[in-house]
Amino acid sequence: MTMFAPLAGIWMPSPQDLRLFGAELSLVAAIVALLVLSMLFGRSERLGAGVALAAAVAVIFFCRDAAGLVDTGARAALTPPGAASMLVADRFTVFFKLLLALFLATIIWLWMTGAAAGRTGGEVRPVPAGPEFFVLLLTSMLGMSLMVATPNLLVMMIAVETASLPSYMLAASDRRSRAGAEAALKYVLFGATTAAVMAYGLSLLFGLFGTLDLPAIAAAVSVKGMPALGWIAMAAFLVGVAFKISAVPLHFWCPDVFEGAPVEVATWLSVASKAAGLGLLLRIVAAFGGDVPATIALPLAWGVGLVAAATCTLGNLAALRQESVKRMLAYSSIAHAGYMMMAAAIPPAAAGDATVRPAMAAIVSYLFVYLLMNLGAFGVTAMVAWSQGSDRLAAFTGLGRRAPWLAVPMSICLFSLVGLPPLAGFAAKWWLLAALGQGADRHSWLWWLVFVAVINTAVSLYYYVRVIRQMFLADDERLERLAVPVGGLALANGCAVLLLLLGTVAFGLMRDRSLAYAACLARAAPESVVAAQDRLAWNGGPEGMVVNGADRP
Amino acid sequence: MEHGNLLNLLIFLPAVGAVLCLIVPGTRTVKVVATATTALVMLLSLGLFRHFAWWGRGDGWQEAVFGGTYGERLYEVTRLDWIRLDGTTIQYFVGIDGLSFPLVILTTLITFLACLASWNIESWKVGRGVRGYFALFLLLETGMIGVFCALDFFLFYVFWEVMLLPMYFLIGVWGGPRREYAAIKFFLYTLAGSVLMLVVLLAFHFYSPVRTFDLIEMAVNDRIAAVFNAETTSFLGWKFATAMFVFLFIGFAIKIPVFPFHTWLPDAHVEAPTPISMILAGILLKMGAYGLLRISYPILPAAAEHFAYALAVLGVINILYGALCAMAQTDFKRLVAYSSISHMGYVLLGIAIMTAAGLQGAMFQVIAHGISSPMCFFLVGVLYDRAHHREIDRFGGLWLSMPVYGSLATLGFFASLGLPGLCGFIGEFWVLVATFSAPFAWARPMAVLAAVGVVLTAGYILWMLQRVYLGPARPEYESFPEVTGREVFILTPMAVLAVALGILPQQTLFNFMNGTLEQICELYGDGVSMMASVAGMCLGR
């Protein structure tokens, strides 16, 4: 196995390389610590939450550190000598890790709120149990962090599996719930099948190109063209990515899992899983930019665009008639994944062109806003479900009177999900559409995606407003006021305030920040293509292509 | 371009008032705060007169109002960079000219009156918070004034949407029996239109050779006009200007509302509480016409000319269809709602023919209808508060039991009817005369058809007056209390304006807006616009 030769040898990453990946390492350390500590001190939920929180803080710390290193122009990749990079660290991966860490912290917050409510309120609710929950959460986060940070197909595959396996168990973490068990089973079956298809595509790609390094494959393709089998292999590989994004037609697991799983898990999967999948998709699409001829880059973009349009349309249409709010939010998350995928459909232009960055910045800002909106909406749904024992639409009746401090932030989150100004959801959608419009300068078919997006926006209003209608327009005097845990109030209102700020005064600030985070991937991708071409030339072109360190003299 | 901060105050003072409404104690205090805010905004808005009125500028007022080209004479301008976008910035850019000035005044006045009309909110029997109502009401005012003041397309869009949320709740929570249906229908219709506007917003930005969102710049910059109106500029295979004009028109037509996009209006009007109906009819409908005049026509004159016939036909359909529908109604409020559709048809017709006189007539009709229709809705509301039904056929002889109310009602409905000497007459007459003399072959038949609308209007209003106010007094209504002081106070300004606009159209309105309207006409180019204005012919200017 020449592939592993560099690792079996004496090569060790330098301390600086390790600092770049301190976030991943601290996650691994936290996972091990959790397992060991719970063996030593017994199953303490508080301990689990504490360690997980510490891991989130460490990830944020290391990400800031890595961001500084990346900016000073340090070699931003974990590269065995002579081989292609296995992991890269650029501002784009830093963003995803920061996003995931922030999200992890809020999920822990939500979990603690729920646990406190379960204890004090006296009502039994399915709290995912202590250390296991956090171990699985951290493991899936590790997988997601790796997903966005690698140009290597094999590492991508491993990362996807690392993210997926704990997610299956998380979905079933309420052991008494039949719905949860059913959801987890569906999730596993779907996941296993798509993983098999993905592995098949991977093996075909390796057979065709003799390398697993994505930029090298892109370089080979740009010289030699894409064989028909290559298209099949690419499509098969992308099936695994589409599963993580829950893109149509691989979205069927999503509503069942979100409805059956505990709220914390559903919230986690709704944002984190899709974010990681989108990051991975973006990296693949960006790799096929640069010098890759349009005959290859364009069909890829069309394919992504078509799936994106189908995803947001079907997601929205299916959401229209849902009675369970969690299930409605699940379909809404499918729709939003569709919107975000549209940005990935913008064909990357030649190296140094400005069109990639707006697309990536759009996804970066959309993901951040989407996190806030979904967190708020799921959070309020959780509070309602905990006190009412149901997440049906009927449970929200009269919430405007019974718990105004839940109903108002919920409305803000929902209107933001629609994309109405002056809320952040509009800002996010605006940057997305602006990126599409800018891309349409060269590819006018992107205007069709703009149409699909705006018409879907109008359609989506209907189902989000159904919840608002139930909260404010319907009321039943017999229903009493709701007791809401303070932590939940803080979470929901915090999200709402941020959404208001990001939609108005911080509208431009968010843009600047997201452009900064999108900067490096756009720069890094063409560079690595150039590097791969150097190696190709050195190896005598794609015919004799063995891009691997061990084969070099 | 004169800088100033008055508009910022007008836009954001209601928002501050909305926050105050949420925190002050006691329902009565909330009402006082809300009313004080709207009153203050109205009084402040009167300060805008100093830019347009002869008493504000002395001898220089004619130059100030009529001089320059489109966009040169802007007042109370604030320009701040808001969002950086590649190659340009999205600005917080507000200012007024003769087009927006009367509308801002109308907005502040009608909002103030509608706020007073909300004082009996307890008697609506919806049992919902007073606090929320007035907070949303004030938020709505922020959105409305913002729409009329924004000169940046992006900012315009934001205010346009900001208006939707409060309106949804105001109809949906405090409305009549079918309020939920009416509210969501209003919301979906308007949003469907405005997302098309969003596409235009993006397309304007990315097609323009000068990256800008400035509505004035887009209208007057020759390079932009050359690209936008060129035959060769294509958008997904359509001609660019044509496609953009259609998208914008759908968005604005829903608001006006133009047949066949009008079906939300009768529902929303009938279900909304009286003050909200006043605002819907008096201000929100005007935004469609304003949008056409501020965005579609100055920026895409070629497409406007291309569609002139279609728009004129739609305008005439509106006039006739709305009038015929009004005639068939048994619900008093529904009748007034359909009469709004009919009256807004004149506005569309006046805009469609693309002459200065047509624009003047359309804008006059906008303002006149903005005064008469809230008055009519309030008159219906006064009656509903007492009778708790709105069946026209169950009323009769009300003039006998409520003489003051009956007199004011007659005045209001006659203003709506277009009786000479009252405001409705001038607008309709101007539009009809302008259509008659418009440089299109189809213009005269259109004018004839539209004139039929005047007869129909007289028909349904007189018939309604006869059934409700005249005839023998009915015993069940004899004990009705006469209009209260508050109600008279609300009706008086509208009644006075209805008379004033009817008698002194030049001094009350034309002097303020004709300059800008003629400048817009000049943007149309050589084709159709070089028509002498009827105002000029009639009044020697």
Side-chain angles (χ1 to χ4, degrees), chain A residues 358 411 415 418-423 426 430-431 433-435 437-438 441 444-445 447-448 450-451 454-455 457-458 461-462 465 468-469 472-475 503-505 507-508 511-512 515, chain B residues 82-86 90 127-128 154 157-159 161-162 164-165 168-169 172-173 179-180 183-184 187-188 191-192 195-196 198-199 201-207 211 213 235-236 238 247:
Chain A
S411 310
F415 279 131
V418 180
L420 291 181
L423 301 168
F426 171 69
W430 165 255
W431 293 125
L433 295 178
Q438 191 168 358
D441 268 358
S444 61
W445 55 273
W447 284 115
W448 286 114
V450 173
F451 271 107
V454 299
I455 289 167
T457 299
L461 174 77
Y462 179 76
V465 165
I468 292 164
R469 188 194 70 105
F472 289 98
L473 273 55
D475 202 355
T504 49
V505 284
F507 200 124
R511 169 68 165 182
D512 295 342
L515 266 177
Chain B
W82 182 19
I83 306 158
R84 239 168 0 96
L85 182 65
D86 324 270
I90 296 170
R128 291 307 187 78
F154 189 90
Y157 181 80
V158 169
F159 279 125
E161 299 271 283
V162 164
L164 287 184
L165 303 183
Y168 168 75
F169 287 109
V173 177
R179 55 180 182 258
E180 294 183 11
I184 189 68
F187 206 161
L188 281 173
L191 189 72
V195 294
L196 289 177
L198 184 59
V199 175
L201 179 59
L202 283 162
F204 272 1
H205 180 67
F206 287 109
Y207 273 78
R211 294 270 151 109
F213 289 98
F235 179 84
L236 291 178
W238 301 306
F247 296 156

Side-chain angles (χ1 to χ4, degrees), chain A residues 457-520:
Chain A
T457 299
V459 171
S460 72
L461 174 77
Y462 179 76
Y463 61 83
Y464 292 121
V465 165
R466 278 179 82 203
V467 180
I468 292 164
R469 188 194 70 105
Q470 200 68 27
M471 292 194 298
F472 289 98
L473 273 55
D475 202 355
D476 186 341
E477 297 297 331
R478 286 164 299 176
L479 295 169
E480 289 173 6
R481 286 184 72 90
L482 227 61
V484 187
V486 182
L489 284 182
L491 189 75
N493 286 289
C495 287
V497 168
L498 276 175
L499 287 175
L500 271 171
L501 287 178
L502 286 172
T504 49
V505 284
F507 200 124
L509 179 75
M510 182 170 72
R511 169 68 165 182
D512 295 342
R513 297 298 300 159
S514 53
L515 266 177
Y517 277 119
C520 286

Side-chain angles (χ1 to χ4, degrees), chain B residues 56-67:
Chain B
R57 290 191 174 262
D59 292 336
W61 76 272
Q62 271 208 334
E63 167 60 20
V65 177
F66 291 97

Side-chain angles (χ1 to χ4, degrees), chain A residues 32 137 159 184 200 318 321 349 357 392 463-464 501-502 506 516 552:
Chain A
V32 174
L137 206 59
Y200 180 57
R321 301 222 54 87
R357 273 184 68 194
R392 314 295 285 180
Y463 61 83
Y464 292 121
L501 287 178
L502 286 172
R552 290 190 178 185

Side-chain angles (χ1 to χ4, degrees), chain A residues 28-42 47 51 131 135:
Chain A
V28 173
I31 294 165
V32 174
L34 264 176
L35 292 171
V36 172
L37 287 176
S38 58
M39 248 192 295
L40 292 178
F41 302 109
L47 183 73
V51 173
V135 169

